[in-house]
Amino acid sequence: MTAARVGRAPAKVNLTLHVLARRPDGCHEIESLVAFASVGDRLSLIPDGSLSLIVLGPEARACGAVANNLVLKATRALAERIEGLRLGVFLLSKRLPVAAGLGGGSSDAAAALRLLAHANGLGPADPRVWEAAKATGADVPVCLDPRARVMRGIGDVLSDPIGLRPIPAVLVNPGGMLATKDVFAAFDDASQRAPTCSSAQIEEQQERPEGVREGRLILSALAQDANDLETSAIQLCPEIARILEILRQQAGCELVRMSGSGATCFGLFASRAAASAAARSLRASHPRWWVRATTLR
């Protein structure tokens, strides 16, 4: 039997998120600066044999029916494009909360496509892998190559990778699931629009000398920006506002925001030590919350 190959499926964090328009098909045009965390799920593939998926880990129960998992959807999308695709058994260690604004399912699907590409001798830029990612879900393309960048359109227009310095952070989720479609519906009802959009400014910094991209210039640019869905998500899950306020009060925390459509929030910290101390304190005071110290890049 061929040895299993293991892939990372890191959490995707929306440092900024702007809803630009609603399309006739009901999808939303967005612009978002995304980064990826050092925490995430793990996916392994044992090539050969029929396609199957086993889901384990602390968040496995929340994943729902295995038949609906994006790992299988992505695999089938690629198999439709490549005759005789070598398949196998996937083992998913689910560590990220589900429907939490961290792109966990999308990152799992992207990891599956990377593992399949390797098992079948496909190059990283094979257009069939990209097409399968787009067919699987809006966030899957940006997760194929998990590096900080700006995503636009419905997630299908990506900038070149951005050389963000590693940013210490704490991720906090109150538990439970917050459906993306419900948050967007609340946003549409309120017709909210944010006036600023500095993620493009951050993208432009990749053209400047390395020192210019460091430290507080990035944090300053982020502080001027927003997540357009935050207010709508708070209406559906008021505990988000509480998390943001508690994160704000932590020593060394320099910026707080919600990721994606929520309910996960993040705090950016001055140092890894400060982030770790904050995570320990939050876990002790709120044992039901999912809390992780991490690094974004």
Side-chain angles (χ1 to χ4, degrees), residues 15 25 31 58 74 94 96 104 159 173 186 192-193 207 228 239 293:
L15 296 174
D25 62 4
E31 179 182 81
K94 193 64 186 171
L96 297 176
S159 76
N173 184 279
Q192 300 169 64
R193 293 290 182 271
E207 304 297 335
D228 288 357
E239 199 164 12

Side-chain angles (χ1 to χ4, degrees), residues 22-266:
R22 185 178 182 180
R23 305 188 334 172
D25 62 4
C27 295
H28 292 78
E29 297 273 345
I30 59 98
E31 179 182 81
S32 178
L33 172 64
V34 301
F36 289 86
S38 56
V39 297
D41 298 334
R42 288 288 185 275
L43 184 70
S44 61
L45 170 64
I46 303 174
D48 300 322
S50 59
L51 173 63
S52 62
L53 169 65
I54 301 169
V55 183
L56 303 171
E59 301 295 330
R61 284 189 178 184
C63 285
V66 169
N68 299 327
N69 195 284
L70 291 184
V71 167
L72 296 182
K73 183 177 180 180
T75 301
R76 291 176 179 128
L78 188 59
E80 289 173 1
R81 290 160 173 81
I82 300 178
E83 185 176 356
L85 186 73
R86 186 184 184 194
L87 303 174
V89 178
F90 285 103
L91 177 62
L92 174 61
S93 176
K94 193 64 186 171
R95 304 172 183 180
L96 297 176
V98 177
L102 294 174
S106 297
S107 194
D108 296 341
L113 291 173
R114 291 194 299 271
L115 289 170
L116 288 167
H118 182 271
N120 287 273
L122 305 176
D126 192 301
R128 295 168 295 183
V129 176
W130 171 260
E131 290 299 324
K134 288 200 301 180
T136 304
D139 281 346
V140 181
V142 77
C143 295
L144 274 178
D145 179 15
R147 292 184 286 173
R149 66 183 78 224
V150 175
M151 57 185 292
R152 299 186 176 92
I154 57 170
D156 56 339
V157 181
L158 305 180
S159 76
D160 291 335
I162 298 170
L164 290 182
R165 68 174 179 90
I167 305 174
V170 174
L171 305 178
V172 181
N173 184 279
M177 294 183 281
L178 188 57
T180 298
K181 63 180 180 61
D182 294 340
V183 178
F184 271 102
F187 177 88
D188 289 337
D189 288 344
S191 298
Q192 300 169 64
R193 293 290 182 271
T196 60
C197 188
S198 64
S199 55
Q201 298 173 12
I202 297 173
E203 181 185 2
E204 289 171 2
Q205 290 184 16
Q206 68 181 318
E207 304 297 335
R208 304 177 187 177
E210 182 67 28
V212 178
R213 298 203 302 267
E214 297 296 317
R216 294 189 175 275
L217 286 180
I218 292 294
L219 288 172
S220 176
L222 289 174
Q224 298 174 44
D225 217 303
N227 180 337
D228 288 357
L229 297 177
E230 199 169 282
T231 299
S232 299
I234 288 172
Q235 291 173 359
L236 300 174
C237 179
E239 199 164 12
I240 291 171
R242 183 179 174 217
I243 292 172
L244 291 171
E245 183 55 34
I246 291 173
L247 275 171
R248 233 175 247 116
Q249 296 170 1
Q250 301 304 305
C253 186
E254 301 188 324
L255 185 143
V256 302
R257 188 161 292 154
M258 185 185 80
S259 177
S261 57
T264 303
C265 301
F266 62 87

